Amino acid sequence: MCGIVGYFGKKEAQPVLMEGLRRLEYRGYDSAGIATMEGDVIRITRSVGKVSELAALIKEGDQSNVGIAHTRWATHGKPTESNAHPHRSNDGKVAVVHNGIIENYKELKEMLQRSGATFVSETDTEVIAHLIRHELSSGINLVDATRTALVQLKGTYGIIVMSSEYPDYIVAARMGSPLILGVGDNEHYIASDASAILRYTRQMVYLDDGEIAVVGRGGFDIRTLGNKMVEKEIELIDAAEAEIQKMGYPHFMMKEMMEQPDVLLNSTRGRLDVENGMAILGGLRDVADRLRDIERVIIVGCGSAYYAGLVGEYMLEEYAGIPVEVELGSEFRYRKPIISKNTVVIAISQSGETADTLAAVREAKEKGALTLGIVNAVGSTIARETDAGVYNHAGPEIGVASTKAFVSQMTVLALFTLFLGRQRSMSLVTGQRIAKEILELPDKVKEILIQQDKIGDIGLRYKDVAHAYFLGRKYCNPIAMEGALKLKEISYIHAEGYAAGEMKHGPIALIEDGFPVIVLAPKDSVYDKSMSNLEEIRARGGRVIMVTTEGCEIDRNLVDDVIFIPKTLEMLTPILAVIPLQLLAYFVTIEKGLDPDMPRNLAKSVTVE
Ligand code: AGP
């Protein structure tokens, strides 16, 4: 998701824009740029990499009070300086930043090239700069040129445009990508989300699709694409900045659970080639050849990240045919791991700052392993210290209990499995089937999230239990452990996750009347075995919540509650199976009057050993 910031006012624009970019880093990006306008000169600076690298390039002494800036997450064209925003017309008189995708950019590009425009990037956005310049050449002003250009676009945009021929204002417009106008005292801000400008103003105007804002010396006005003036209310954001990010949800955890369909879209956007059954992981480009020779995978993580790694172990062994072991960061660092140059160590970490996992990365590098990161926080230490990696693009995860990041971690591991598998013996057909099923996951997650009222009712009935077992086999074994972690870390109910086959080796001794057991039994290759677990538990009076695949015939004498999840590939089932467990833990917690976002004794990122 790209980030956009604009400013028109009395302060120096550059510091405002750079601070705004820093506030938007969480959205994930691979390059950044800024344009300021002084008199009839537009100065543009762009760089691949972090905002800090862009800052190092900017020349001192820029007195301009007008500017636009952007963090780019590549959709069309590689992360390069020439593809970074802002994009400009050939004469440099128009500059644009854009968030969204222009679907008809190719035909517009051809039309503009026929009219003499020269393109220097691979992006769809550059078309917008040339198109507005083209419209301006008919003698209309910047507002009208922007309007007449935008009506020719198909797709989505949140844009800010400025022109040295019209230095008294800038133009912003929204169609499908959020854009917000911050109202100051004789100064105005524009951003893709409030967090970029909250430090300057709490007076916000939310643009709606099809609206254009003209922001200049005299203030601002808002009109439709058809040039009809629109009265908009200035909304006062009076809650603390953190509250803003809850967007109306009661807790971050609920917001982040509900974001999971979008997170799956963002984690896979531009990374799946269904036709060729491949995963396109730009972050692994430089190590792709070395990965061909890899003979062993070690996955390292802590907590939920560790459980995601356990799911990855099943995926990679089954579909990439590579031996995998999964290690707790806190243990790996004390072992004498056998590592060769053909070992790849994958560090999974939402924060990218977990000390135990970071220590494992450093140990692995010391021993000559190739190190990769699956990290959510852009620019974090683990992301920087691993040789290469794949960002989750899950957005900031504020809730201490990991939900959307965990689901994203498993999804990225599925992409990685596709990447490695197709480097090896995975067939085109298998690759296509996996890629297609991954694309269907967001809608399937939605089918589970809409059951939240039913799951809330179940949570109400179990809120007073003192203990609980979570059982799963094969791909759902790690999910049993993750479900237990969710319940214990926010509701403080003692819960244990076990491989279901382990029950008869001791744990079943605890089953007595009313003992709650959550059994993960999707219709998969080990379904029949899981059914025998239900008999064992029932015979001893246990209470059963079963998570299974929709359409399965269930003997209601064996279970107290059933939660159905949609059918998908066995390797992707964990991504769906965890959702009901997240919701269950959440509802039990709030029924107990506890705060799921701030569980006692826990920190979001454990940066100490
Ligand atoms: C998960 O709900 C916990 N908050 C915790 O186990 C977390 O997964 C673990 O600390 C690892 O954090 P990381 O992903 O930021 O490295």
Side-chain angles (χ1 to χ4, degrees):
M1 298 179 287
C2 302
I4 285 181
V5 191
Y7 177 73
F8 195 114
K10 52 199 181 203
K11 290 197 272 282
E12 268 186 44
Q14 191 197 99
V16 173
L17 297 170
M18 293 306 291
E19 178 59 22
L21 292 188
R22 279 188 275 276
R23 297 297 181 100
L24 294 174
E25 285 193 280
Y26 75 83
R27 297 164 71 95
Y29 68 103
D30 41 54
S31 52
I34 180 173
T36 54
M37 181 159 66
E38 203 161 5
D40 61 356
V41 175
I42 293 180
R43 261 193 301 281
I44 294 183
T45 310
R46 304 180 299 188
S47 83
V48 177
K50 307 288 168 292
V51 169
S52 55
E53 293 167 77
L54 173 67
L57 296 175
I58 292 175
K59 294 193 179 33
E60 292 302 318
D62 182 334
Q63 307 296 320
S64 166
N65 310 113
V66 192
I68 58 180
H70 184 270
T71 51
R72 176 174 183 251
W73 188 51
T75 51
H76 294 76
K78 296 183 287 305
T80 60
E81 191 277 337
S82 61
N83 285 337
H85 303 206
H87 286 287
R88 74 185 92 188
S89 54
N90 291 135
D91 60 6
K93 292 185 183 302
V94 174
V96 175
V97 290
H98 166 232
N99 182 22
I101 292 182
I102 304 303
E103 289 153 11
N104 62 332
Y105 83 97
K106 285 201 174 97
E107 49 259 43
L108 290 169
K109 184 169 181 173
E110 285 159 13
M111 178 274 285
L112 291 161
Q113 284 169 323
R114 286 194 296 276
S115 312
T118 309
F119 282 75
V120 297
S121 83
E122 305 161 281
T123 68
D124 54 343
T125 303
E126 190 184 354
V127 162
I128 304 174
H130 291 294
L131 190 56
I132 292 172
R133 188 74 193 87
H134 178 75
E135 296 298 322
L136 277 172
S137 59
S138 63
I140 55 178
N141 66 27
L142 181 63
V143 183
D144 293 337
T146 302
R147 284 192 310 104
T148 51
L150 293 179
V151 296
Q152 299 175 61
L153 302 184
K154 290 196 188 80
T156 58
Y157 57 78
I159 62 165
I160 313 176
V161 192
M162 64 185 190
S163 169
S164 51
E165 290 185 337
Y166 295 86
D168 293 337
Y169 62 87
I170 58 178
V171 180
R174 172 191 162 146
M175 182 65 77
S177 293
L179 216 49
I180 188 168
L181 174 64
V183 182
D185 172 15
N186 253 338
E187 56 186 353
H188 294 85
Y189 308 82
I190 302 161
S192 19
D193 77 49
S195 57
I197 54 179
L198 258 182
R199 66 175 299 185
Y200 303 109
T201 178
R202 293 192 181 285
Q203 299 187 89
M204 302 289 175
V205 175
Y206 290 84
L207 286 188
D208 290 312
D209 284 352
E211 290 180 347
I212 294 180
V214 181
V215 178
R217 299 207 189 293
F220 71 93
D221 69 45
I222 293 176
R223 59 192 78 184
T224 65
L225 280 173
N227 211 21
K228 202 161 113 354
M229 291 313 210
V230 178
E231 277 307 308
K232 300 285 282 191
E233 187 196 339
I234 296 180
E235 300 182 37
L236 189 65
I237 292 188
D238 51 12
E241 182 170 338
E243 292 301 306
I244 302 309
Q245 290 164 352
K246 278 191 220 169
M247 303 291 185
Y249 286 101
H251 300 101
F252 282 114
M253 185 175 174
M254 178 49 87
K255 169 178 173 280
E256 289 154 8
M257 287 190 288
M258 300 309 283
E259 282 175 340
Q260 291 180 122
D262 283 345
V263 165
L264 287 175
L265 286 174
N266 292 332
S267 298
T268 57
R269 182 176 289 118
R271 293 174 164 174
L272 279 169
D273 171 356
V274 178
E275 191 182 344
N276 297 303
M278 309 278 278
I280 305 157
L281 299 174
L284 301 184
R285 185 181 302 115
D286 298 341
V287 297
D289 289 342
R290 196 166 160 194
L291 283 170
R292 282 180 204 284
D293 303 327
I294 287 302
E295 292 159 358
R296 185 160 157 258
V297 175
I298 298 175
I299 300 176
V300 176
C302 302
S304 296
Y306 171 73
Y307 298 138
L310 290 174
V311 173
E313 178 177 22
Y314 285 100
M315 291 178 173
L316 286 163
E317 290 188 340
E318 179 165 5
Y319 286 98
I322 298 181
V324 180
E325 63 188 83
V326 187
E327 301 286 348
L328 285 167
S330 55
E331 288 299 310
F332 182 80
R333 62 190 301 181
Y334 301 117
R335 286 184 44 204
K336 294 281 173 280
I338 313 300
I339 287 178
S340 75
K341 67 175 178 37
N342 288 336
T343 303
V344 61
V345 173
I346 302 172
I348 303 177
S349 176
Q350 189 286 130
S351 62
E353 301 298 346
T354 298
D356 289 329
T357 308
L358 177 57
V361 167
R362 289 171 175 168
E363 172 74 6
K365 287 186 79 164
E366 188 65 32
K367 292 187 180 300
L370 170 65
T371 57
L372 303 182
I374 296 178
V375 177
N376 192 36
V378 173
S380 56
T381 306
I382 291 172
R384 280 184 287 107
E385 295 201 12
T386 42
D387 298 313
V390 182
Y391 277 125
N392 291 96
H393 294 310
E397 186 175 68
I398 314 293
V400 169
S402 185
T403 51
K404 64 176 185 173
F406 177 70
V407 158
S408 174
Q409 287 161 356
M410 292 189 285
T411 306
V412 169
L413 283 162
L415 294 174
F416 188 62
T417 299
L418 204 44
F419 184 92
L420 281 192
R422 297 283 284 127
Q423 279 190 338
R424 290 162 173 77
S425 56
M426 183 190 287
S427 69
L428 169 64
V429 170
T430 302
Q432 288 170 330
R433 190 157 47 86
I434 293 171
K436 185 176 161 302
E437 277 294 330
I438 290 173
L439 286 176
E440 293 182 9
L441 287 174
D443 286 342
K444 293 183 174 179
V445 169
K446 283 178 189 164
E447 287 179 45
I448 303 168
L449 292 172
I450 58 177
Q451 299 182 57
Q452 57 175 282
D453 292 346
K454 169 186 171 183
I455 297 170
D457 292 343
I458 297 173
L460 188 57
R461 294 202 293 278
Y462 286 80
K463 70 180 179 66
D464 296 321
V465 301
H467 306 278
Y469 274 158
F470 288 73
L471 304 181
R473 287 176 187 269
K474 205 174 172 189
Y475 280 99
C476 281
N477 171 15
I479 303 305
M481 291 185 251
E482 168 64 9
L485 175 63
K486 287 284 104 34
L487 186 66
K488 70 181 135 197
E489 71 176 330
I490 59 176
S491 76
Y492 315 143
I493 292 171
H494 172 241
E496 291 184 73
Y498 268 105
E502 271 298 285
M503 281 297 277
K504 52 191 175 297
H505 298 288
I508 199 164
L510 286 190
I511 303 295
E512 57 188 4
D513 259 4
F515 191 103
V517 184
I518 294 86
V519 179
L520 297 166
K523 192 74 172 148
D524 59 12
S525 61
V526 287
Y527 177 75
D528 295 339
K529 299 270 183 252
S530 302
M531 297 315 288
S532 59
N533 285 118
L534 296 183
E535 308 268 358
E536 286 170 357
I537 295 158
R538 276 319 246 199
R540 293 162 179 82
R543 289 166 75 184
V544 174
I545 300 172
M546 182 182 185
V547 177
T548 189
T549 308
E550 58 199 19
C552 272
E553 291 293 315
I554 305 301
D555 176 352
R556 294 287 171 161
N557 298 315
L558 290 179
V559 300
D560 294 276
D561 294 281
V562 188
I563 302 167
F564 290 104
I565 62 174
K567 180 88 184 131
T568 183
L569 295 179
E570 182 166 8
M571 73 173 271
L572 301 177
T573 300
I575 296 168
L576 301 182
V578 73
I579 310 286
L581 308 190
Q582 297 169 345
L583 290 165
L584 184 64
Y586 173 83
F587 285 115
V588 167
T589 299
I590 56 173
E591 289 300 343
K592 290 170 69 94
L594 298 169
D595 179 351
D597 287 341
M598 310 289 280
R600 67 188 180 197
N601 311 335
L602 297 181
K604 181 58 188 170
S605 175
V606 184
T607 55
V608 294
E609 292 180 22

